[in-house]
Amino acid sequence: MAHPRLSIVIPAFNESARIEDALERVMSCVAERGWDAEVVVVDDGSKDDTAAIVHRWMEHHPRLHLVQNPGNKGKGYSVRNGLLQAAGDIVMFTDADLSAPMEEAERLIAAIEDGADVAIGSRWMDRTRQTIHQPLYRQFFGRCFNWITRTVMGLPFKDTQCGFKAFKRSAAQVIFRLQTIERWGFDPEILFIARKLKHVIREVPVTWGHDERSRMSYLKDGMKMLEDMARIRANSLAGRYDEAIAAMKDTSTMVTPQVAKVGANVAQVAKMGAEVRQ
């Protein structure tokens, strides 16, 4: 099978109600635009028919693949698992609700082709592109969280949490092997790591519509994400990311025994890398 130019990763947990619609929209977009693309659905230990539905679609779509996590591990784990196994020159992930229409991937691809290593979709750069707005309380908590993220982690982006991001494959292979946060708080970490690696990051306004079926709780998950940010900051102050990056640069392989020695969190990354290569 030919090497794909684009890989589209969709993390999915108990998505039987909307995965079929997502696949229909994604596959139609790929066909209409003639993209040289593969689609990778990462099933995060679903208890419903998500995997069975994807298997059924795979019978008619040879460039659709299913990756299954060993149980429910979280969105961050799922995105990492999918992107590290993706074969495209450009790799991206999108949420199963397709709040950002698949057609908007053209904007991310254009940013990568224009020299960016990482392109991130933004709901807030151009608010006129929002087709269905979030409830006011979600907007309030989302903006507060983004302000805290910008302040604590020094990330100069208007929207760190939009689940619509693309990477050069070479950049993703390093960034996601250094990732340690495996649930909702992974987005700021991968951007933090990308900046540490001096990657060019481009924020791109995208069309976006809120899905009322969103499972994220701004109170419960928001508190956990604040804990994750504190953990990222602690890892950085302890030099764990720098040590892991140095270990990578000192060897010819991406994940090495040295990486496993820089702390419990980064040791998990090395283990993950070994699982992906099997």
Side-chain angles (χ1 to χ4, degrees):
M1 185 177 293
H3 179 77
R5 180 170 177 269
L6 174 67
S7 294
I8 302 165
V9 173
I10 306 173
F13 174 64
N14 289 341
E15 291 288 0
S16 61
R18 54 187 178 182
I19 192 63
E20 196 148 24
D21 178 62
L23 291 175
E24 174 65 42
R25 291 165 62 188
V26 170
M27 293 302 185
S28 295
C29 179
V30 168
E32 288 168 4
R33 280 158 173 72
W35 289 344
D36 176 14
E38 66 171 358
V39 179
V40 181
V41 177
V42 183
D43 177 29
D44 191 25
S46 297
K47 301 300 184 183
D48 62 6
D49 294 333
T50 297
I53 293 170
V54 177
H55 275 299
R56 189 164 64 246
W57 274 70
M58 287 169 60
E59 294 175 4
H60 306 285
H61 297 277
R63 301 192 90 177
L64 171 63
H65 312 290
L66 177 67
V67 172
Q68 292 185 280
N69 292 342
N72 178 242
K73 297 293 186 178
K75 182 181 178 182
Y77 183 106
S78 300
V79 169
R80 180 180 63 193
N81 198 6
L83 290 186
L84 287 181
Q85 298 192 56
D89 298 317
I90 298 173
V91 297
M92 65 168 292
F93 68 90
T94 183
D95 291 337
D97 61 13
L98 296 184
S99 290
M102 197 65 240
E103 290 77 7
E104 293 292 271
E106 290 182 335
R107 303 175 68 84
L108 302 184
I109 294 168
I112 298 288
E113 290 177 338
D114 193 41
D117 300 299
V118 180
I120 65 174
S122 176
R123 298 163 291 186
W124 302 109
M125 286 187 74
D126 181 359
R127 296 185 64 176
T128 64
R129 299 181 68 90
Q130 292 190 20
T131 57
I132 303 175
H133 293 274
Q134 293 175 308
L136 288 177
Y137 78 92
R138 281 185 172 269
Q139 292 187 42
F140 174 76
F141 281 112
R143 300 302 282 168
C144 287
F145 178 80
N146 196 64
W147 178 82
I148 294 170
T149 301
R150 290 167 61 121
T151 303
V152 173
M153 301 186 63
L155 296 176
F157 309 112
K158 291 183 180 296
D159 191 355
T160 60
Q161 295 306 116
C162 183
F164 201 64
K165 295 180 173 68
F167 310 78
K168 287 182 179 176
R169 185 174 186 276
S170 56
Q173 287 291 311
V174 179
I175 292 168
F176 284 91
R177 281 181 163 85
L178 292 168
Q179 175 195 338
T180 66
I181 305 299
E182 297 187 333
R183 294 195 178 270
W184 291 106
F186 80 100
D187 287 278
E189 184 185 34
I190 60 176
L191 295 177
F192 184 79
I193 291 169
R195 279 170 58 82
K196 267 192 166 295
L197 293 167
K198 310 297 185 186
H199 285 315
V200 176
I201 306 172
R202 186 105 19 106
E203 190 171 14
V204 180
V206 295
T207 299
W208 186 85
H210 174 65
D211 190 326
E212 288 293 343
R213 295 170 294 181
S214 174
R215 297 191 181 101
M216 183 177 176
S217 163
Y218 271 98
L219 184 59
K220 178 183 175 182
D221 295 319
M223 290 301 295
K224 178 59 180 171
M225 288 163 71
L226 291 176
E227 291 176 18
D228 288 340
M229 272 198 290
R231 195 168 122 206
I232 294 164
R233 200 68 185 156
N235 283 343
S236 180
L237 290 172
R240 295 194 178 105
Y241 295 115
D242 293 330
E243 290 176 29
I245 292 168
M248 287 183 176
K249 290 180 178 178
D250 288 343
T251 60
S252 59
T253 56
M254 297 295 285
V255 179
T256 68
Q258 291 99 312
V259 176
K261 295 178 182 178
V262 301
N265 290 333
V266 179
Q268 293 177 358
V269 180
K271 180 181 179 182
M272 179 63 198
E275 291 173 356
V276 169
R277 290 192 298 274
Q278 290 177 355

